[in-house]
């Protein structure tokens, strides 16, 4: 399978993260290699790029795509392991780090991966198939309350409790093994009037289960402070998000780096000891243009934020 993926906010993200053509950069979400390829085209012959992905197909395609470029090093690791991997391979510090979060187009389009509510397949949804937790395990073994919680929190689904209740009732009779079975359960749970409006009735639930399977929010929270530690002073981290909870994590983490005093108002002297570690490159998130949204509907919810590590005083 050719791992083809239309990169979102491609030029904008590269412009934000690239500070030195001779530098060392990290692409934490290699995917189809679109951002990596664009960055490589702007690097000098001595510039270097380190790529991470946990999907074996993405890794295989990237190794073939970049096999003749000695500037590229590829690791099949989750980006939660970025700092340790870079440290163990003598690749610290770096000049820039970029993330393009969410699920990639090939993962959605390849039926057997079980990410899509549009194709019937085994309920899987693992980005890294070396891991044990699958969507099938979640819908068949987690409590109804826990399933409702992830659908509500990760999917922001109004019918979360009802969908979870229907899942709980259905699995008593028959194990839920396929995406098709789950879609029909969700359709039966969501009232007809609600199904006629908005996106596909299964969209938010599938997104929520996928995020739970891959622990996407937990991993994101873990990796951002790693990224700051890995950067050289003056280096930048750029993050493209596709979900409001992801964007909130990035925004809030960046805010903690600004070193704003958290002491109660009225104290004559600051006691919290807050010191700025970074500054925002763009105060407001960069959004896709209307042209990009028209050409790539999956870009519509994308937001790009970037921060720069401060130089020591």
């Amino acid at each position: 399978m050719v791992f083809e993926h239309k990169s979102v906010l491609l030029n904008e993200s590269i412009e934000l993260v690239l500070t030195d053509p001779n530098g060392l950069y990290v692409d934490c979400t290699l995917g189809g290699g679109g951002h990596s390829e664009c960055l490589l085209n702007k690097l000098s012959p001595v510039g270097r790029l380190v790529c991470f992905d946990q999907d074996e197909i993405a890794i295989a395609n990237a190794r073939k795509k970049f096999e003749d470029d000695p500037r590229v090093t590829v690791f099949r690791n989750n980006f939660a392991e970025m700092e340790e991997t870079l440290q163990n391979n003598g690749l610290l510090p770096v000049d820039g780090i970029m993330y393009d979060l969410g699920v990639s187009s090939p993962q959605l389009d390849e039926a057997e991966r079980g990410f899509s509510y549009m194709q019937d397949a085994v309920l899987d949804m693992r980005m890294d198939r070396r891991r044990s937790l699958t969507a099938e395990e979640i819908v068949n073994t987690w409590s109804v309350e826990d399933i409702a919680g992830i659908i509500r929190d990760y999917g922001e689904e109004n019918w979360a409790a009802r969908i979870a209740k229907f899942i709980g009732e259905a699995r008593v009779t028959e194990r839920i093994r396929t995406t098709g079975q789950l879609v029909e359960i969700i359709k039966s749970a969501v009232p007809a009037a609600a199904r006629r409006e908005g996106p596909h009735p299964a969209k938010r639930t599938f997104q929520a289960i996928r995020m739970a399977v891959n622990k996407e929010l937990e991993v994101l929270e873990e990796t951002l402070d790693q990224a700051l530690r890995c950067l050289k002073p003056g280096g930048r981290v750029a993050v493209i998000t596709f979900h409001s909870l992801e964007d909130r994590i990035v925004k809030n983490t960046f805010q903690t780096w600004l070193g704003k005093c958290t002491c109660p108002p009225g104290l004559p002297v600051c006691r919290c000891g807050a010191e700025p570690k970074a500054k925002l490159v763009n105060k407001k998130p960069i959004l896709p243009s209307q042209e990009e949204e028209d050409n790539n509907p999956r870009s519509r919810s994308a937001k790009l934020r970037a921060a720069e590590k401060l130089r020591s005083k």
Side-chain angles (χ1 to χ4, degrees):
M1 176 186 174
V2 178
F3 205 96
E4 294 180 351
H5 174 73
K6 189 176 288 188
S7 300
V8 174
L9 292 165
L10 179 59
N11 293 320
E12 295 90 338
S13 57
I14 300 304
E15 287 175 6
L16 287 184
V17 82
L18 180 63
T19 56
D20 178 5
N22 300 319
L24 171 59
Y25 294 86
V26 179
D27 184 350
C28 286
T29 48
L30 173 61
H35 286 94
S36 287
E37 185 173 36
C38 185
L39 181 56
L40 283 167
N41 288 337
K42 296 179 182 295
L43 291 182
S44 74
V46 298
R48 293 188 65 188
L49 177 64
V50 178
C51 303
F52 288 88
D53 207 292
Q54 56 187 338
D55 188 294
E56 71 270 25
I57 298 175
I59 290 294
N61 277 276
R63 285 178 173 153
K64 184 175 181 180
K65 184 173 187 174
F66 300 127
E67 63 182 346
D68 295 326
D69 195 330
R71 299 175 298 171
V72 181
T73 303
V74 178
F75 293 105
R76 188 186 174 193
N77 284 342
N78 187 294
F79 54 66
E81 302 162 4
M82 171 181 59
E83 185 175 21
E84 180 182 3
T85 304
L86 294 176
Q87 180 72 52
N88 290 344
N89 288 275
L91 295 168
L92 288 177
V94 303
D95 293 89
I97 300 171
M98 54 186 173
Y99 299 83
D100 179 12
L101 301 174
V103 66
S104 64
S105 298
Q107 290 167 336
L108 285 171
D109 295 339
E110 188 181 359
E112 70 180 53
R113 303 298 296 272
F115 286 100
S116 176
Y117 48 81
M118 302 298 291
Q119 304 178 81
D120 192 22
V122 173
L123 268 173
D124 193 325
M125 300 195 194
R126 289 173 297 170
M127 292 179 181
D128 185 345
R129 290 190 276 195
R130 297 171 298 184
R131 310 269 179 194
S132 59
L133 181 63
T134 65
E136 181 184 345
E137 181 177 345
I138 287 177
V139 300
N140 286 287
T141 68
W142 284 23
S143 71
V144 168
E145 292 75 18
D146 285 345
I147 293 172
I150 63 168
I151 297 174
R152 179 185 61 249
D153 296 340
Y154 296 172
E156 299 175 302
E157 170 60 69
N158 292 332
W159 301 100
R162 185 174 165 88
I163 291 169
K165 176 175 177 287
F166 275 55
I167 289 173
E169 292 171 350
R171 70 190 188 189
V172 171
T173 306
E174 181 183 11
R175 187 173 178 87
I176 305 166
R177 299 183 183 277
T178 69
T179 56
Q181 284 176 277
L182 183 57
V183 167
E184 291 307 311
I185 294 167
I186 295 167
K187 284 181 177 178
S188 66
V190 177
R195 293 201 305 269
R196 286 193 291 267
E197 299 177 359
H200 191 287
K203 179 179 180 179
R204 295 187 181 96
T205 298
F206 269 63
Q207 171 185 279
I209 295 173
R210 184 206 83 215
M211 293 177 75
V213 167
N214 297 289
K215 299 183 178 180
E216 293 175 36
L217 297 184
E218 296 92 331
V219 169
L220 177 59
E221 288 181 322
E222 186 178 337
T223 190
L224 290 174
D225 284 330
Q226 285 188 38
L228 186 64
R229 292 193 296 269
C230 291
L231 286 173
K232 294 179 182 177
R236 291 180 172 184
V237 55
V239 188
I240 301 171
T241 62
F242 293 86
H243 187 283
S244 61
L245 294 179
E246 290 175 341
D247 182 60
R248 192 178 307 155
I249 289 170
V250 176
K251 179 181 178 181
N252 291 343
T253 302
F254 283 8
Q255 285 295 319
T256 67
W257 296 349
L258 301 181
K260 293 182 179 179
C261 178
T262 57
C263 294
L267 282 183
V269 179
C270 173
R271 296 180 180 274
C272 70
E275 292 185 5
K277 300 175 182 177
K279 66 179 181 180
L280 301 181
V281 178
N282 52 317
K283 292 186 177 180
K284 292 186 177 181
I286 296 172
L287 307 178
S289 65
Q290 187 60 54
E291 181 181 3
E292 181 168 13
E293 288 189 16
D294 292 341
N295 292 332
N296 184 9
R298 288 176 179 165
S299 73
R300 287 175 186 161
S301 59
K303 291 183 178 181
L304 169 62
R305 296 183 187 271
E308 180 179 311
K309 185 171 183 175
L310 294 177
R311 301 180 186 277
S312 302
K313 293 182 181 179

